[in-house]
Amino acid sequence: VIARLCVIGIGLIGGSLALALRRAGAVEEIIGAGRDETHLRKAVELKVIDRFELNLARAVKDADMVVLAVPLGAMQPVCAAIRDHLGASTILTDVGSAKQGVVDAVQAAFGEVPTLFVPGHPIAGTERSGVEAAFAELYRGRRVVLTPQPHTAPEAMKTVRSMWEHTGALVEEMDISHHDRVLAATSHLPHMLAFALVDSLSRLDDCDKAFRYAAGGFRDFTRIASSDPVMWRDVCLANGDAILGVMAHYRDGLKAIEDALVRRDGERLFDIFTRAKQARDRFMRLS
Amino acid sequence: VIARLCVIGIGLIGGSLALALRRAGAVEEIIGAGRDETHLRKAVELKVIDRFELNLARAVKDADMVVLAVPLGAMQPVCAAIRDHLGASTILTDVGSAKQGVVDAVQAAFGEVPTLFVPGHPIAGTERSGVEAAFAELYRGRRVVLTPQPHTAPEAMKTVRSMWEHTGALVEEMDISHHDRVLAATSHLPHMLAFALVDSLSRLDDCDKAFRYAAGGFRDFTRIASSDPVMWRDVCLANGDAILGVMAHYRDGLKAIEDALVRRDGERLFDIFTRAKQARDRFMRLS
């Protein structure tokens, strides 16, 4: 049981973690921190947190565990603000979806990466954001990836692992660059494609009229384009190289379809679609 | 009430239409036709159709309404096979998602487009295919677009409209080229993008391992990549120009994101993502 948990950033991810730990009886006191007082008051009303602090130094005081659940671009300033106020045994972790970027931010703020810092990433979410979107079940059965550094303290790893297990998540460890490449392929790139599609369609004439004729496939395909623009801008800035890598690979794949369309090459199209369908059906069996 | 309905192609679309009309009491006898006897036997077992015919000439004999629910590439040979066996008052309609291609196929098979032919397109579906995937509720609240020709008989329009209304669908009329452009943008292009993504990821090393870390966003985004390859090859061949048009537009949108990523231009990325989110949120309110 964590006696005092401080979650910085009470949105979908931070709020759902607080709710899940509360329900599991895995925490005694939850302090929420952030910049927006109205938002934090709402979080208290919704019983997501016990109380809040706008001052980060006070927020982390005497905390046993501090969770950074802010957009990636806010990691470094937040770390700089809490650096001199963490207890000697306070464990620090985060939820960012691009791990090297977070480690770099922590390093820049602390001068070195603390041994009690555990980079973490719950692979879960919805297109909604804000504390109103938080729910205790978000992490049940989902994977949480921890990407420890060589000098990360084993007891910090153990505590963070245990925290996530209380939410019902499956916790795994992964090499940091492997994590960033895998997430670029399976999460960051699809978000780029969905944003690009909706943005390009929105600039067509008669866009709203066209949207009226869109079916369930379009709704599902574009769901992730409703995601938080700040969060995704920051993911792009933190994991740009890996995203560009898979994007180039994707562009080649799209070009193959385009070429086959130009040539009206039905056989080639059939082969591509069949391979994609087989891979996607395999994915569904694996997941 | 349709006394004798013949549905050629008893898959998700044709089967769901049969189920919906049966349930609405809008049809007396349903004859299923197709090439695969095992599949048609299954359709009888599932009570989707009353009986089946493998011979298309016999299937359409004395039918009041014939629905072509085969992939676009099969439209012309099927029309050629039924041409001399339709009754003088038999109404013919189809469910293809690219209307000019169907009209061309009908024209080629009949020598002219019959006045009792009504091009139609139910904008509904799932990524599943085959009669086992059919369900009576598929069309409830969904749009069905009819794209009549100048000489299409008003009474044929009325009967086809009434048939779809019995399934719970909202029936509209649209200009054929407008339909094909709108569907290229909101349905055909998203399918291409999803096929391209899954296909390109499937050629990465460690693909299956990467899939294990994909979350709900990926699952939804790629759902349509599990669609039937034959159907989608035929859509590409029938509506290639319109698809290439929106694909070029999309490529520009993706390029803008790529360029911003290369420059690490956070402001530009934020603008694109914000515009996309607003358009997508607007789509959800419209749909």
Side-chain angles (χ1 to χ4, degrees), chain A residues 126-129 191 194-195 198 219 222-229 232, chain B residues 273 276-284:
Chain A
T126 74
E127 75 282 16
R128 301 179 57 215
S129 44
H191 278 80
F195 281 130
V198 179
R219 180 187 316 240
T222 60
R223 182 173 71 78
I224 53 182
S226 283
S227 300
D228 180 35
W232 283 97
Chain B
F273 299 166
K277 176 178 168 54
Q278 285 166 350
R280 205 275 175 175
D281 291 349
R282 196 167 68 239
F283 159 66
M284 288 305 287

Side-chain angles (χ1 to χ4, degrees), chain A:
Chain A
V1 174
I2 300 165
R4 180 176 286 188
L5 170 71
C6 171
V7 181
I8 304 178
I10 304 294
L12 169 67
I13 299 299
S16 295
L17 174 61
L19 285 170
L21 294 176
R22 169 79 71 206
R23 197 168 64 174
V27 61
E28 283 168 16
E29 185 185 19
I30 305 177
I31 298 155
R35 292 180 309 180
D36 182 341
E37 183 164 351
T38 312
H39 188 84
L40 290 166
R41 282 197 191 285
K42 183 85 189 169
V44 173
E45 264 171 47
L46 293 171
K47 298 192 189 311
V48 172
I49 56 176
D50 295 308
R51 60 185 181 84
F52 70 85
E53 289 282 358
L54 292 165
N55 179 299
L56 291 176
R58 274 208 302 274
V60 302
K61 189 166 183 298
D62 300 325
D64 301 282
M65 169 84 75
V66 174
V67 178
L68 305 169
V70 295
L72 292 168
M75 293 286 181
Q76 188 173 333
V78 166
C79 284
I82 65 176
R83 182 187 57 192
D84 298 332
H85 308 277
L86 292 173
S89 62
T90 304
I91 294 169
L92 182 65
T93 189
D94 80 297
V95 299
S97 76
K99 301 320 308 166
Q100 190 59 53
V102 176
V103 168
D104 292 347
V106 169
Q107 164 111 39
F110 283 85
E112 60 179 3
V113 181
T115 58
L116 296 184
F117 170 63
V118 177
H121 178 210
I123 304 183
T126 74
E127 75 282 16
R128 301 179 57 215
S129 44
V131 68
E132 296 86 347
F135 59 102
E137 286 295 307
L138 178 60
Y139 303 113
R140 181 157 307 281
R142 311 312 300 271
R143 291 177 201 277
V144 172
V145 178
L146 306 180
T147 59
Q149 301 279 286
H151 61 281
T152 304
E155 69 270 26
M157 281 295 287
K158 205 174 136 198
T159 308
V160 172
R161 172 184 281 274
S162 162
M163 176 182 81
W164 283 111
E165 284 171 351
H166 276 112
T167 69
L170 311 167
V171 183
E172 300 189 23
E173 293 179 30
M174 205 188 276
D175 171 71
I176 197 162
S177 69
H178 186 230
H179 170 278
D180 287 358
R181 272 182 288 119
V182 165
L183 268 288
T186 57
S187 168
H188 307 169
L189 176 62
H191 278 80
M192 299 303 108
L193 306 185
F195 281 130
L197 175 68
V198 179
D199 182 45
S200 69
L201 292 191
S202 76
R203 283 179 289 112
L204 288 178
D205 299 335
D206 267 359
C207 158
D208 282 1
K209 206 173 158 203
F211 279 169
R212 287 178 53 218
Y213 297 95
F218 183 79
R219 180 187 316 240
D220 283 356
F221 186 84
T222 60
R223 182 173 71 78
I224 53 182
S226 283
S227 300
D228 180 35
V230 169
M231 172 184 161
W232 283 97
R233 173 199 64 195
D234 287 358
V235 169
C236 285
L237 297 177
N239 204 27
D241 287 340
I243 299 172
L244 284 167
V246 287
M247 196 179 275
H249 191 65
Y250 170 78
R251 220 194 314 99
D252 294 345
L254 190 62
K255 186 75 168 54
I257 291 180
E258 197 171 1
D259 291 346
L261 269 167
V262 169
R263 296 193 312 271
R264 298 292 193 274
D265 185 344
E267 214 170 308
R268 179 99 178 88
L269 291 166
F270 178 77
D271 286 347
I272 295 171
F273 299 165
T274 300
R275 210 162 50 203
K277 177 179 169 54
Q278 285 167 351
R280 205 276 174 174
D281 291 348
R282 195 168 69 239
F283 158 67
M284 288 305 288
R285 287 192 299 273
L286 287 169
S287 68

Side-chain angles (χ1 to χ4, degrees), chain B residues 114-126:
Chain B
T115 58
L116 296 183
F117 170 63
V118 177
H121 177 210
I123 303 182
T126 75

